């Protein structure tokens, strides 16, 4: 029995739910949203879909007690309209998502949930850390999508410029899922060859490629008012790595002992969540960028109040 739950069924949560149902990934799915009409509508729409699918998913709504035996919990709540005039600042949602954590974390804890929590809310790294602290779940069982998506955007941009499939581009975007993120070019290869040498041969500016990748999400947001498909795909892939015990090496937002905060860097994802946080042999300049990005996240985290627990 693969049991999933989603808190927040807006654009991203609904896309995650649709993916889980249509791909036959979830045997049981719990949808939770403050807007009960929206949760019910998504339930009905997905139920109507199932007569045309090869699999079946039992779908329930708005019952925190169902989290007790859930394997995976996605938290995808937020206020996307806070970004409408944010000029590329994901921290515009901070005042909303921290209040969401204060509301839902005690309910998650009371439910007895002991699976793996995957946070998609922004600002991702800081809020993921807040959720871990507020729910009391072990650090390895709470992770965020973090720079998993930013790395995919880098792969797309590099693939387009070198005329290769993005899957043949390897490497990492590290740090905050935000403006202090950076591409660790020392880790990037194209068809197995170091990108720095190839870029010099093709007279490509890596800083320009990085700028294109960083702005990818805002290009989508400016056109349709939100992002959904890519981030939902990242979230589902992380969940599959957990339930399949895939030991997938990928970037995500996970706890770093070195920086004492959640931050985007590579990890091994398996049945217990974060099996191991990896440390890459990156350059001194990249190490400094990662330290500065992590320091910024930690500074913001320290402004958050403790979450009151239910009694």
């Amino acid at each position: 029995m693969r049991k999933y739950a989603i808190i927040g069924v807006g654009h991203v949560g609904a896309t995650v739910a649709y993916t889980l149902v249509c791909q036959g990934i979830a045997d049981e799915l719990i949808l939770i949203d403050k807007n009960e009409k929206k949760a019910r509508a998504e339930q009905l729409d997905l139920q109507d879909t199932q007569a045309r699918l090869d699999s079946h998913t039992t779908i329930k709504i708005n019952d925190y007690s169902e989290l007790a035996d859930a394997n995976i919990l996605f938290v995808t709540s937020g206020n996307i309209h806070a970004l409408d005039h944010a000029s590329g600042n994901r921290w515009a949602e901070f005042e909303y998502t921290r209040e969401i954590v204060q509301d839902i974390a005690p309910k998650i804890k009371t439910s007895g949930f002991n699976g793996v929590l995957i946070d998609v809310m922004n600002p991702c790294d800081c809020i993921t850390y807040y959720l871990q602290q507020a729910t009391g779940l072990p650090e390895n069982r709470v992770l965020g999508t973090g720079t998993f998506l930013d790395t995919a955007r880098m792969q797309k941009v590099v693939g387009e410029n070198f005329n290769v499939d993005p899957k043949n581009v390897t490497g990492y975007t590290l740090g905050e899922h935000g403006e202090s993120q950076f591409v660790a070019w020392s880790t990037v290869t194209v068809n197995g060859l170091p990108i720095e040498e190839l870029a010099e041969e093709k007279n490509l500016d890596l800083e320009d490629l990085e700028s294109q990748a960083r702005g990818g999400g805002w290009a989508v947001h400016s056109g349709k008012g939100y992002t959904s498909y890519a981030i939902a795909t990242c979230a589902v892939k992380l969940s599959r790595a957990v339930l399949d015990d895939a030991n997938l090496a990928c970037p995500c937002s996970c706890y770093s002992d070195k920086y004492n905060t959640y931050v985007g860097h590579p990890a091994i994802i398996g049945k217990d969540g974060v099996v191991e946080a990896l440390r890459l042999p990156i350059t001194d300049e990249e190490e400094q960028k990662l330290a500065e990005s992590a320091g910024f996240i930690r500074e913001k985290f320290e402004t958050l109040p403790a979450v009151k627990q239910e009694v």
Side-chain angles (χ1 to χ4, degrees), residues 132-200:
Q132 185 272 319
Q133 291 287 292
T135 59
L137 289 164
E139 290 163 353
N140 65 295
R141 289 189 167 271
V142 179
L143 61 148
T145 45
T147 55
F148 198 24
L149 174 56
D150 302 301
T151 297
R153 288 173 174 152
M154 176 274 290
Q155 291 173 284
K156 182 195 76 169
V157 168
V158 170
E160 288 174 344
N161 280 270
F162 285 89
N163 194 30
V164 302
D165 190 285
K167 291 190 291 294
N168 294 333
V169 178
T170 65
Y172 298 99
T173 298
L174 304 177
E176 174 200 7
H177 177 57
E179 290 308 294
S180 67
Q181 68 177 248
F182 66 97
V183 178
W185 290 114
S186 68
T187 70
V188 179
T189 67
V190 180
N191 289 335
L193 301 173
I195 192 172
E196 290 172 315
E197 296 176 14
L198 296 175
E200 190 173 342

Side-chain angles (χ1 to χ4, degrees), residues 25-308:
I25 297 169
D27 298 308
E28 192 168 350
L29 177 61
I30 314 303
L31 305 177
I32 296 175
D33 198 285
K34 273 196 164 183
N35 183 341
E36 187 151 356
K37 282 188 175 181
K38 180 68 160 65
R40 176 62 172 156
E42 296 294 354
Q43 178 193 36
L44 291 171
D45 206 2
L46 289 169
Q47 287 173 334
D48 289 345
T49 304
Q50 298 204 67
R52 298 294 177 263
L53 299 178
D54 296 325
S55 58
H56 178 80
T57 303
T58 299
I59 305 168
K60 303 175 184 178
I61 63 170
N62 281 6
D63 186 351
Y64 273 89
S65 69
E66 289 284 350
L67 302 185
D69 60 347
N71 304 110
I72 302 287
L73 170 60
F74 295 107
V75 182
T76 61
S77 303
N79 181 356
I80 192 64
H81 295 297
L83 302 178
D84 289 347
H85 305 290
S87 300
N89 179 16
R90 290 182 179 88
W91 289 89
E93 284 192 271
F94 191 38
E95 65 178 283
Y96 301 99
T97 50
R98 65 187 178 189
E99 290 181 2
I100 291 169
V101 172
Q102 291 162 16
D103 175 43
I104 68 173
K107 298 172 184 175
I108 295 170
K109 189 170 185 178
T110 299
S111 76
F113 173 73
N114 194 38
V116 172
L117 188 157
I118 300 175
D119 174 48
V120 186
M121 291 195 295
N122 282 324
C124 187
D125 308 278
C126 188
I127 291 297
T128 302
Y129 195 7
Y130 199 29
L131 274 166
Q132 185 272 319
Q133 291 287 292
T135 59
L137 289 164
E139 290 163 353
N140 65 295
R141 289 189 167 271
V142 179
L143 61 148
T145 45
T147 55
F148 198 24
L149 174 56
D150 302 301
T151 297
R153 288 173 174 152
M154 176 274 290
Q155 291 173 284
K156 182 195 76 169
V157 168
V158 170
E160 288 174 344
N161 280 270
F162 285 89
N163 194 30
V164 302
D165 190 285
K167 291 190 291 294
N168 294 333
V169 178
T170 65
Y172 298 99
T173 298
L174 304 177
E176 174 200 7
H177 177 57
E179 290 308 294
S180 67
Q181 68 177 248
F182 66 97
V183 178
W185 290 114
S186 68
T187 70
V188 179
T189 67
V190 180
N191 289 335
L193 301 173
I195 192 172
E196 290 172 315
E197 296 176 14
L198 296 175
E200 190 173 342
E201 291 174 8
K202 292 195 66 171
N203 197 29
L204 288 173
D205 183 351
L206 293 181
E207 288 187 9
D208 179 56
L209 299 188
E210 183 168 353
S211 178
Q212 291 177 45
R214 182 184 287 109
W218 297 106
V220 175
H221 183 274
S222 66
K224 67 179 193 177
Y226 58 92
T227 65
S228 55
Y229 305 140
I231 184 59
T233 300
C234 288
V236 171
K237 188 170 181 67
L238 288 172
S239 77
R240 291 293 301 268
V242 173
L243 291 184
D244 294 339
D245 194 20
N247 286 318
L248 173 70
C250 67
C252 66
S253 185
C254 59
Y255 186 77
S256 167
D257 289 323
K258 182 176 181 179
Y259 298 115
N260 193 26
T261 188
Y262 275 71
V263 64
H265 61 101
I268 303 296
I269 309 300
K271 65 179 181 180
D272 294 319
V274 179
V275 178
E276 181 184 0
L278 303 175
R279 293 189 179 180
L280 297 176
I282 56 179
T283 68
D284 290 344
E285 181 182 0
E286 290 166 348
E287 285 277 12
Q288 181 62 29
K289 288 180 178 179
L290 182 55
E292 290 174 357
S293 187
F296 175 71
I297 295 164
R298 177 72 197 185
E299 182 181 318
K300 290 287 191 177
F301 173 77
E302 289 174 350
T303 69
L304 292 164
V307 174
K308 295 179 180 179

